[in-house]
Amino acid sequence: MTDGFFKVAVSTPKLRVADCHFNCEQMIKKAERMAAEGVRLLAFPELSLTGYTCSDLFLHDTLTAGAQRELWAYARATAGLDMISVLGLPLEHHGRLYNVAAVVSRGEILGLVPKSHLPNYGEFYEARQFAAWTGENTVHRFFFQGKESAESMSSATSEDSRNSAFSAASSDYAVALGTKLLFRVPGDTEICFAIEICEDLWMPAPPSAEHAMAGANILVNLSASDELTGKAAYRRELVKNQSARTLSAYLYADAGEGESTTDMVFAGHNLIVENGVILQESRPFGPEKDRITEIDVARLNSERRRMITFPLSAEGGTERGYQWIDVPLSDWGETALTRTFQKTPFVPSSREHREERCDEILNIQSAGLAKRLRHTRCQNAVIGLSGGLDSTLALLVTVRAFDSLGLDRKGILCVTMPCFGTTSRTYDNAVSLAGELGATLKEIPIQEAVTLHFRDIGQDMEKQDITYENGQARERTQILMDLANQCGGMVIGTGDMSELALGWATYNGDHMSMYGVNCSVPKTLVRYLVQYYADTAKSASLREVLYDVLDTPVSPELLPPREGEIAQKTEDIVGPYELHDFFLYYMLRCGFSPARIFRLAIHAFDGDYDKKTIHQWLSVFCRRFFGQQFKRSCLPDGPKVGTVSVSPRGDLRMPSDAEYSLWKAELDRIGESLV
């Protein structure tokens, strides 16, 4: 049983060149500490038992034999740890010396993976001592793992006693050897890792690419990459790129400062990357080299299911010569999470690239609108400007589209339609915004028209129900559509993706437009884009009005104000948008179950919302998401700006009458556990 997370670590322990016993002892200490922290997979650097810089000493039997003895010593010393270790050593096989990675777990050596590509340039000249592996998988036989040897080696503490125990071995021990080994951890989440060594990654076609296509979702690299000016940045991008290309997690364990400095220096640049995103990284030459985190294997598997162009082998690579090796680990239940999950996954996390990302999103929105305006030969646009966030962003995007086409901004008709719920604050902001941006403003009060309509259909004006609210929304849409016909213009939709996911839109009211520029922009991102525009606006008066729009509570303003203030606050009714956007991302982007989304939300919003509150709004989200699909099935056209969209023509093909009983049952079980 797994919970989709797999705790991993990379470590660069203290090292003495050619002192196998010392190196082994250091790795055992690291393994014990890592196991105590719940680590299930631990990777050490290349040739970690001997050190990478032994040079021609690798050709000495004393060193290679010592490395094999210490490999066995490590296996026996860590036999009681419920963990997998990957460590490096030189291995003689059929008269050739290979640079290999050994996979060790519970006292057993499960596999040996040799290096495929050897550097033979600059300071490196591995080809002088080692052979590159070019063959198929085979078997290597050690001659020191007999039962008698096992018992004596497990109790041997000094190097001399280990030598004696090693010489007493009486039977051989067969271990799989080859580059096409896949190590599988049984459980309800498919966890499979494979290995390549240092230079293998730097090749035009790294072995890890084929490992991933055969089924490996975690790639381990035992490396000894010397430090040169600018190399850390290149190495970082190389690892990130390979992780992203292979839709995998990539563990990069690098040699450190204990290596010989005769000709080069090593900095222990360790990395753990998941699908192109760095989860953990040690600073080159920094004091702490150990890095621990949890890999979200369930998400990696989900990404591969979605990306059908990713060429996964239907037979698990067996047709390409791959061999699967099961690695037994105990049922660890729920993995304790130490990694962070962004509260706003749709919002760029790095402020460093904030302007670039915001410009990119606004350009996508405005380019989509500009194309539609150009295609329809339309020189006018009509926007219902409420003074709220969504219509503000729609106007900013339309202004940018008009500017790109060289159209007069006066062709943007901003229509404010005050009614029963309109407050002076939003009205004033709408008027100011249109003026600041040079658009045309038209005010059409709709109280009289709505009152007449209610009289016609027999709606009691005192009954402030859904008809009372939607009647206003549909009246506004009718006005916008008719004005667009009058001026030969196009109604620009203002509704955002969060509202569409929740169905928080009036069917054939604000739900409808001729082009919806915000249709794939969630509410948290809408706020972020308007904030960016405000921060970078050259006009102080424009900044002032935009900041006030940002400070205004989100509301459809369909109910009368209370003492002049907004009475109907959306987030009090449907829940916080930061929670709903979080739910939306992990449900649509990753396909996660309610239980998994609930767990991630608890972790991400710790201290902000308690479990019952998160469960309450997650239940609301799932119920509304399934129940409101009919509104999304007939959405107007609009541009996709990110990896998630609810367009029925693009990312979301969902029946309008699908049952959500499975999701509800899971939510009910969560709710029962909270009582």
Side-chain angles (χ1 to χ4, degrees), residues 353-371:
H353 302 107
R354 178 176 182 239
E355 292 189 13
E356 178 183 354
R357 181 64 62 88
C358 287
D359 273 339
E360 185 179 25
I361 294 169
L362 291 168
N363 282 337
I364 292 172
Q365 291 178 274
S366 60
L369 176 58
K371 164 65 178 178

Side-chain angles (χ1 to χ4, degrees), residues 451-481:
T451 301
L452 179 61
H453 174 64
F454 285 169
R455 189 192 69 187
D456 291 342
I457 66 173
Q459 172 70 18
D460 184 354
M461 287 291 294
E462 299 301 317
K463 189 178 180 181
Q464 296 175 0
D465 58 4
I466 190 69
T467 305
Y468 180 90
E469 296 185 26
N470 285 351
Q472 299 171 65
R474 291 195 178 98
E475 178 64 25
R476 286 175 171 139
T477 300
Q478 175 182 264
I479 290 172
L480 294 175
M481 292 288 182

